Amino acid sequence: MAHFGVVAPAFYSHFNALAALALELVARGHRVTYFQQEDAGAHLGDSRLGFRALGAGSHPPGTLAAVMRRAANPGSPLGLRRVIDDMARSTDMLCRELPAALEAERVDALLCDQMEAAGGLVAEALGMPFVSVACALPVNREPGIPLPVMPFAYGTDERSLRMYEGSTRVYDWMMTPHRRTIERHARGFGLPARDGLHECLSPLAQVSQTVEGYDFPRRALPAHFHHVGPFRSAARKEVVQQPLPPIDPDKPFVFASLGTMQGHRLGLFLRIAKACRAANVQLLAAHCGGLDERQVRELERAGATWVCAFAPQREALARADAVISHAGVNTVLDAIEARTPILALPVAFDHPGSAARVRHAGIGLLASPRFASAAHLSRQLRQLLEDDSFAPRLEALAANVARAGGTRRAVDIIETSLGFGGLQVPDPLLARSA
């Protein structure tokens, strides 16, 4: 059996998604070790998964909290530049320290999150096989497709294409510190020139949590790219969750979550609560530990029926008539699976691109998290609850998710592409057309 290393950004959502794959590999007899700065080890909480701390000098214990605060709320252009600098420093540290750590741990192959370039760079430099994993929207670039971080609707007209191209140039300019770090280490490793995340992907296999219907039309993905649907694990020990409250079946029920990094946004939660009160619906708001007790009480006074830190999200979505979300990929996929329409309030990262895809797929509506009033949110919520057109589109996408294969198919692909499993890679789309 093989020893797999995992290289990912030091954020809970990425560690958690990859843990589903890691635990499936462990169940099949493999060994799995994560490599990141020491603070990130707290994201695992599972003795079956190994962790090797790196960056003692550049990323000592206690430094990740500030990085996460900046990422969750960059604010000004200067704040965004600091977030990009944090990305560059992390990639630099991993490129410097991973080679020796992988050799010391006798790692055979890597699972590399698409959002951390160091994994692919180091694997290529060492001649080590690796698989790229898209926990968020895929970073694979393609003419005519806006980048995942962009809020643009899909279009094939000349104006849209010019907008996509121009926004990509602006993005690349803003990412200059990170691009230069990638370029410098590629050169130092003796690799061909490259300077972006999309140029650090596996030539063997790429797996993504997305499904084809939850993306803009793609025409140029590599043959070794696989949409497998959400990574889930019954063996994963989740954070402590409160049970669902006593929901009145005769009154609409709405679930609201802004994810693990945006749960501190009290102002947005207050507008959501007021909108739900105006729409006369039950609201369960999960803040993921972002609010204190005083803020929780304020949110309840504003109209939230129940407020908790962590709710059983998939169970809540299965009961909900609508979800109000930041449009994070995991929440969107859970909502699709539950056939629950989405009111998307994209905040940061790939949320704008995800929200644009939600609207394109016809499975929800989009509003500004900064400027939409409670009255506007209430009107959109009523539309979600009353408009029957969302249901057939959600049904079709839910069927797509059910066929995609999920964690088991992803790990079949990983084992087969790296030569550790000897299994045939099942492709539900091919099987369906046979």
Side-chain angles (χ1 to χ4, degrees):
M1 292 292 103
H3 184 187
F4 287 87
V6 176
V7 182
F11 297 134
Y12 174 80
S13 60
H14 288 259
F15 266 50
N16 188 52
L18 284 160
L21 305 185
L23 288 171
E24 178 67 17
L25 285 166
V26 169
R28 299 186 187 195
H30 302 291
R31 179 184 169 198
V32 180
T33 301
Y34 281 67
F35 294 81
Q36 247 301 348
Q37 66 184 90
E38 185 169 333
D39 289 343
H43 298 328
L44 285 180
D46 196 309
S47 61
R48 292 167 292 181
L49 303 177
F51 182 78
R52 170 83 178 236
L54 304 177
S58 59
H59 294 71
T63 59
L64 181 58
V67 171
M68 294 180 70
R69 282 196 299 271
R70 287 191 289 270
N73 191 21
S76 66
L78 179 59
L80 181 58
R81 180 58 178 259
R82 290 184 179 130
V83 172
I84 295 167
D85 286 341
D86 287 336
M87 291 177 62
R89 282 191 288 269
S90 181
T91 296
D92 177 67
M93 179 273 288
L94 290 168
C95 284
R96 286 186 287 103
E97 300 194 19
L98 262 177
L102 295 173
E103 182 178 1
E105 294 286 344
R106 299 182 181 276
V107 169
D108 299 301
L110 288 181
L111 301 186
C112 301
D113 192 305
Q114 282 196 349
M115 294 303 297
E116 177 47 74
L121 289 172
V122 171
E124 285 197 54
L126 299 178
M128 180 179 292
F130 72 104
V131 170
S132 297
V133 182
C135 297
L137 289 179
V139 302
N140 303 67
R141 292 194 183 182
E142 177 176 333
I145 301 293
L147 298 182
V149 296
M150 298 301 173
F152 307 127
Y154 178 72
T156 57
D157 57 284
E158 185 177 348
R159 179 179 178 276
S160 294
L161 297 179
R162 285 201 308 270
M163 186 166 56
Y164 303 160
E165 184 179 354
S167 66
T168 298
R169 288 197 299 268
V170 171
Y171 171 86
D172 286 340
W173 173 77
M174 293 179 64
M175 292 295 293
T176 294
H178 193 237
R179 292 192 303 109
R180 286 177 176 168
T181 299
I182 294 172
E183 181 183 35
R184 173 165 52 85
H185 282 290
R187 187 168 58 249
F189 288 144
L191 300 175
R194 65 199 64 191
D195 64 1
L197 292 170
H198 63 293
E199 295 179 330
C200 301
L201 305 180
S202 172
L204 299 176
Q206 301 169 23
V207 296
S208 171
Q209 287 204 91
T210 55
V211 291
E212 285 187 277
Y214 167 47
D215 199 353
F216 296 143
R218 292 279 198 161
R219 299 176 180 84
L221 287 172
H224 57 278
F225 183 99
H226 304 273
H227 294 282
V228 301
F231 306 149
R232 303 288 182 259
S233 173
R236 176 68 169 150
K237 296 177 181 177
E238 301 290 349
V239 295
V240 176
Q241 302 169 340
Q242 293 184 217
L244 283 185
I247 300 164
D248 182 351
D250 297 322
K251 188 176 182 180
F253 168 57
V254 173
F255 176 63
S257 171
L258 301 177
T260 55
M261 293 187 67
Q262 305 299 332
H264 63 283
R265 296 183 179 273
L266 176 62
L268 181 53
F269 268 125
L270 288 172
R271 277 182 282 143
I272 291 170
K274 292 173 183 176
C276 288
R277 171 176 282 170
N280 193 31
V281 301
Q282 302 169 95
L283 170 65
L284 170 62
H287 58 78
C288 300
L291 303 181
D292 60 30
E293 283 302 314
R294 179 189 62 78
Q295 293 169 321
V296 167
R297 301 285 87 79
E298 186 176 356
L299 187 55
E300 290 173 339
R301 288 193 296 271
T305 317
W306 308 281
V307 181
C308 66
F310 293 95
Q313 179 163 287
R314 295 175 73 190
E315 185 181 349
L317 286 167
R319 293 287 306 276
D321 298 288
V323 58
I324 303 176
S325 163
H326 60 309
V329 167
N330 284 296
T331 303
V332 170
L333 289 168
D334 283 346
I336 289 170
E337 192 174 40
R339 299 160 176 80
T340 305
I342 304 160
L343 176 51
L345 304 173
V347 178
F349 308 115
D350 64 344
H351 305 164
S354 178
R357 286 157 175 80
V358 164
R359 184 163 60 179
H360 178 76
I363 58 174
L365 300 174
L366 168 62
S368 167
R370 290 186 62 189
F371 301 115
S373 66
H376 179 73
L377 295 178
S378 182
R379 287 192 295 271
Q380 288 194 302
L381 187 56
R382 288 192 184 97
Q383 183 179 345
L384 282 182
L385 295 172
E386 296 169 4
D387 189 339
D388 294 334
S389 67
F390 300 106
R393 295 163 186 162
L394 282 162
E395 187 67 39
L397 265 184
N400 199 343
V401 169
R403 290 192 300 267
T407 298
R408 288 187 178 180
R409 180 168 174 250
V411 174
D412 287 345
I413 291 166
I414 291 165
E415 287 188 316
T416 302
S417 63
L418 301 182
F420 297 126
L423 300 175
Q424 293 297 316
V425 179
D427 189 326
L429 297 180
L430 292 179
R432 191 173 42 154
S433 62

